[in-house]
Structure formats: structure tokens, C-alpha cells
């Protein structure tokens, strides 16, 4: 992936921090999901007083894309931190990694973890979920 593509995803993910609904944790997360067709789907985390119905930024982006018929993805950028301050990398939770396994090729799908446009790292889903269970296991 080109550095300019990565930086555009980082910008889109950072912009989503503003929309996070986090009255309980105050931990804002933004995501920008790049589909194979070049379209970017964004998401933010949305908390709920009952906790279980809370939805992560990554799943929000995936569900938006899938609900519009998109099923092929290249990469996702995830940013987050307390009050939206990007002090450290914010990797996807286990549930989000499992959703990624449903729709992505683990060896190819890239996950960009960023603290800024210049401070980021890129890994594959396979690296974050080495023994993932996906559709091919059924």
C-alpha cells in the first residue's frame, strides 16, 4: 500500500473520533475501511449503558460496507485513545478480528495502527490472528 493511501485512511479514521459515543469509557476509536473497489467506509465506537450492545469502530465500518453489498476489502486503519488522544496504538479487539476473518483474506488484509499520519505500523490480519477461524473452516 502506498504511503499516501495509508495517510488518507489515517486522516479518515482520526476524523471519526469526533463522532464516537463514549459516555462510559471516554475512550474514542475511529476506523476507516478500504474496500477493493477503492471506497472508504468509516466507523466510530458506539457505547451502550448495558455494555454488551456496544459496537466497535471497526465493526461499524464493516457493517456499513456489508449492508451496502460490499464484501471485498484491502485494509483498515484504527486509531483511538482516552478523550481521543492518540498516545498509543489501538489494535482491534478479538470480536473485530473475528469479523475481519469473515470477510478478508488473512494473509493479504492490512491493519494500520496509527498514532498520527507519520507514526503508524502495518500488519496483516494473519499476524494479529494467527490461528483464526473463518468460512474455510466450515
Amino acid at each position: 500500500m502506498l504511503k499516501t493511501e495509508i495517510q488518507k485512511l489515517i486522516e479518515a479514521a482520526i476524523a471519526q473520533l469526533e463522532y464516537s459515543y463514549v459516555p462510559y469509557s471516554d475512550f474514542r476509536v475511529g476506523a476507516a475501511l478500504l474496500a477493493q473497489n477503492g471506497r472508504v467506509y468509516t466507523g466510530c465506537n458506539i457505547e451502550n449503558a448495558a455494555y454488551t450492545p456496544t459496537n466497535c469502530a471497526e465493526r461499524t465500518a464493516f457493517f456499513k460496507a456489508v449492508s451496502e453489498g460490499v464484501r471485498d476489502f484491502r485494509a483498515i486503519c484504527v486509531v483511538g485513545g482516552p478523550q481521543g488522544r492518540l498516545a498509543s496504538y489501538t489494535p482491534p479487539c478479538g470480536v473485530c478480528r473475528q469479523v475481519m476473518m469473515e470477510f478478508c483474506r488473512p494473509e493479504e488484509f492490512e491493519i494500520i495502527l496509527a498514532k498520527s499520519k507519520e507514526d503508524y505500523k502495518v500488519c496483516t490480519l494473519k499476524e494479529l490472528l494467527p490461528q483464526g477461524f473463518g468460512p474455510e473452516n466450515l
Side-chain angles (χ1 to χ4, degrees):
M1 213 172 166
L2 298 173
K3 184 175 182 174
T4 55
E5 288 179 301
I6 291 171
Q7 289 178 328
K8 285 181 182 179
L9 284 178
I10 293 170
E11 286 175 1
I14 290 172
Q16 286 299 297
L17 295 171
E18 179 182 336
Y19 303 114
S20 291
Y21 177 73
V22 292
Y24 309 106
S25 73
D26 202 25
F27 193 95
R28 296 175 176 272
V29 181
L33 175 64
L34 177 62
Q36 289 289 358
N37 66 10
R39 184 156 176 211
V40 174
Y41 294 86
T42 57
C44 64
N45 56 327
I46 304 165
E47 294 181 345
N48 188 286
Y51 295 115
T52 302
T54 294
N55 202 54
C56 298
E58 301 92 307
R59 284 182 284 139
T60 299
F62 268 94
F63 296 162
K64 284 169 70 174
V66 171
S67 73
E68 294 181 22
V70 177
R71 306 275 193 294
D72 298 312
F73 305 101
R74 288 182 52 201
I76 192 167
C77 176
V78 184
V79 299
Q83 300 163 344
R85 288 187 321 272
L86 309 182
S88 62
Y89 298 122
T90 304
C93 74
V95 174
C96 289
R97 293 175 198 200
Q98 185 61 46
V99 169
M100 292 175 194
M101 279 294 297
E102 186 68 23
F103 296 104
C104 304
R105 290 180 284 289
E107 300 82 12
E108 298 172 19
F109 185 71
E110 294 181 315
I111 300 169
I112 302 153
L113 306 175
K115 294 190 237 179
S116 72
K117 281 176 53 177
E118 298 299 326
D119 187 355
Y120 62 87
K121 62 181 177 178
V122 180
C123 52
T124 65
L125 178 56
K126 179 83 172 177
E127 291 171 315
L128 288 186
L129 192 61
Q131 297 294 314
F133 185 87
E136 70 283 348
N137 295 105
L138 297 176

